[in-house]
Amino acid sequence: MLHNLCYNEICMIMKHENYPYNPFLLSGYVSPEYFCDRVEETQKLISALRNGRNVTLISPRRMGKTGLLRHAFHEIQSAKAGNCYYVDLYQTDSLPSLVKKLGEAVLGTLDTSETKVVKQISKFFASLRPVFSFDAISGEPNIMLDVQPVNAEKSLSEIFAYMEDSGKQCYVAFDEFQVVDGYADKQVEALLRAHIQHLNNVRFVFSGSQRHVLENMFVSANRPFFQSTQIMNLGCINEAAYYEFAHKKLEQNGQILNSTAFNHLYSSLFGHTWYVQMILNRLFETSQKEITEEFVDATIANVIAENEATYQTFVRLITPAQRKLLRAVASEGTAREITGKNFVAKYQLGAISTIRLSTKTLVEKELLLDQNNHYEVYDRFFGIWLQ
């Protein structure tokens, strides 16, 4: 077992590029072996794309939508069924920054030789002013782009033309797509929609964590993307499937996790993927032979203690009314009627107008999670600390 190996043996194993020492990954995607379940969701996403439907993928932050995208793209590429591109828009703030991210992901990948890369760049990408080199080992092109704001729209057109003219099936995932709604240029949505609707061999996934923003973008009749995609909501991983995955990985490490202890872990963290994964990661690290409910609680308590200073800062940065509401929701676990008479009286929350304003602010700050008017503290560990 790994925990019985000497330090040098562990280091040698960890050097293998596809072998993570701890199987409970907290970021990135390695392979299907380290990806838990999502069988139905993966099939649903791939089927929609292959059948010509663009998809809007919505889930709370840290629920696993990026992992699902990476896994679905891995399956598509393993089957040689298309070229896949993951584009994270989180740090973009304008059309030029979006075009730069997209261009650097795509350009050069649809060509079969260095000569063709040069030819295509000369043909299509004059406005992008690309600087490219080739990886000394793999021979793959590395491209950096300088997107001038005045040429951003033309550059976008060039990139889409490059993909369309390749004759190859392409799939693009724009993650955190809701940031486009905050661009100063309010015409970006319409511009993207105008290009996308004419593409025959390029399909898109628009994913994000701000439900209300994305639903407004894709469901409102006055928005460019109205009814142009299949809406897909991503929930928690099935508990039974998650237990099977966790039990197997821990057993390989010489540890025993019974179903009762896992149920306690899963329910304590509301099944929210990243938080469950974090505790499983810590449990693996301990090499504790038998994992009990008490040991799970102690592990959660350790993680919370590490972050206590951050939680205290969260509390200091909100108003007394917001703090009171947040603690009330944390005490309930899930609050269904936060303006209801009983809830307001139980926690002495005051005026309904104040509660509504506090709720709006806490949701916008991602301290409170709104799931169809069912409210929970967004950070599961923070919620336990508040209790």
Side-chain angles (χ1 to χ4, degrees):
M1 296 303 170
L2 287 178
H3 59 276
N4 291 326
L5 294 176
C6 71
Y7 176 78
N8 288 337
E9 289 173 317
I10 291 174
C11 288
M12 288 297 293
I13 291 173
M14 292 177 70
K15 284 181 180 179
H16 193 292
E17 62 179 357
N18 291 321
Y19 189 95
Y21 171 62
N22 193 314
F24 300 105
L25 308 180
L26 299 176
S27 62
Y29 177 83
V30 175
S31 71
E33 182 182 353
Y34 302 98
F35 184 78
C36 178
D37 193 41
R38 300 293 194 195
V39 175
E40 182 179 341
E41 296 93 330
T42 302
Q43 292 176 345
K44 183 178 180 180
L45 179 58
I46 292 175
S47 180
L49 294 173
R50 283 181 173 170
N51 285 280
R53 301 190 301 275
N54 295 328
V55 176
T56 300
L57 178 64
I58 306 173
S59 79
R61 197 179 300 281
R62 294 178 163 181
M63 190 61 80
K65 67 182 183 304
T66 301
L68 174 62
L69 289 170
R70 296 283 195 185
H71 182 64
F73 280 4
H74 176 274
E75 296 295 291
I76 290 171
Q77 291 179 309
S78 294
K80 301 187 184 305
N83 294 68
C84 300
Y85 306 99
Y86 172 81
V87 183
D88 187 357
L89 299 182
Y90 187 67
Q91 293 185 327
T92 66
D93 58 7
S94 62
L95 179 62
S97 57
L98 181 153
V99 171
K100 178 178 172 64
K101 285 267 190 179
L102 176 63
E104 289 179 350
V106 172
L107 301 191
T109 63
L110 298 171
D111 304 297
T112 57
S113 68
E114 295 181 16
T115 302
K116 282 193 174 183
V117 172
V118 175
K119 181 179 178 181
Q120 292 284 36
I121 287 177
S122 174
K123 178 180 178 181
F124 285 119
F125 311 131
S127 71
L128 288 167
R129 299 200 296 184
V131 176
F132 66 96
S133 59
F134 293 90
D135 188 279
I137 298 176
S138 68
E140 293 294 317
N142 296 316
I143 299 177
M144 295 293 292
L145 301 179
D146 179 16
V147 181
Q148 298 298 308
V150 68
N151 291 325
E153 184 174 344
K154 181 181 179 183
S155 298
L156 181 68
S157 179
E158 290 174 345
I159 294 170
F160 284 144
Y162 169 69
M163 299 174 79
E164 188 75 6
D165 290 355
S166 73
K168 300 176 182 179
Q169 187 64 54
C170 299
Y171 302 102
V172 178
F174 283 126
D175 204 0
E176 301 300 345
F177 188 72
Q178 72 272 351
V179 302
V180 172
D181 183 65
Y183 289 177
D185 183 356
K186 298 304 178 183
Q187 300 304 311
V188 173
E189 274 183 66
L191 178 64
L192 286 170
R193 172 66 175 143
H195 282 289
I196 287 171
Q197 67 182 343
H198 296 298
L199 297 174
N200 295 312
N201 63 311
V202 188
R203 293 293 170 257
F204 295 84
V205 181
F206 307 95
S207 74
S209 55
Q210 294 182 6
R211 175 181 300 278
H212 295 310
V213 176
L214 285 168
E215 287 181 345
N216 191 38
M217 293 174 79
F218 289 92
V219 179
S220 296
N222 62 342
R223 300 292 285 267
F225 280 103
F226 173 60
Q227 292 188 342
S228 63
T229 67
Q230 175 178 326
I231 304 295
M232 182 175 170
N233 291 288
L234 186 66
C236 301
I237 295 174
N238 174 269
E239 182 179 348
Y242 211 157
Y243 171 64
E244 183 180 351
F245 175 82
H247 179 268
K248 178 182 177 182
K249 297 300 183 187
L250 289 166
E251 188 177 50
Q252 290 171 350
N253 196 40
Q255 298 174 271
I256 299 172
L257 174 67
N258 62 48
S259 58
T260 303
F262 182 79
N263 172 261
H264 179 65
L265 162 59
Y266 187 91
S267 58
S268 295
L269 300 172
F270 297 85
H272 199 124
T273 306
W274 186 88
Y275 300 95
V276 174
Q277 194 81 346
M278 168 62 84
I279 298 304
L280 290 171
N281 180 283
R282 297 297 184 98
L283 292 173
F284 182 93
E285 179 185 35
T286 67
S287 296
Q288 175 78 10
K289 292 292 185 183
E290 184 174 355
I291 299 169
T292 62
E293 292 181 48
E294 292 75 18
F295 194 74
V296 167
D297 284 337
T299 304
I300 292 174
N302 286 337
V303 173
I304 291 172
E306 292 171 6
N307 292 282
E308 185 166 8
T310 300
Y311 301 149
Q312 289 173 344
T313 299
F314 287 167
V315 169
R316 285 197 300 269
L317 292 176
I318 59 179
T319 67
Q322 293 165 6
R323 189 157 53 242
K324 203 169 188 179
L325 176 60
L326 202 58
R327 284 185 171 135
V329 173
S331 297
E332 292 289 310
T334 299
R336 291 173 173 78
E337 296 181 11
I338 60 175
T339 57
K341 181 179 178 180
N342 293 337
F343 185 77
V344 173
K346 181 178 179 179
Y347 295 102
Q348 300 180 346
L349 296 176
I352 300 299
S353 59
T354 302
I355 297 172
R356 286 174 175 155
L357 180 59
S358 295
T359 300
K360 182 176 182 294
T361 302
L362 291 171
V363 169
E364 288 174 350
K365 290 182 176 180
E366 296 191 340
L367 292 175
L368 205 59
L369 175 62
D370 176 7
Q371 302 204 82
N372 296 321
N373 295 318
H374 289 189
Y375 295 91
E376 299 167 354
V377 177
Y378 212 129
D379 184 323
R380 305 309 187 182
F381 298 139
F382 183 37
I384 295 173
W385 181 83
L386 285 168
Q387 291 175 7

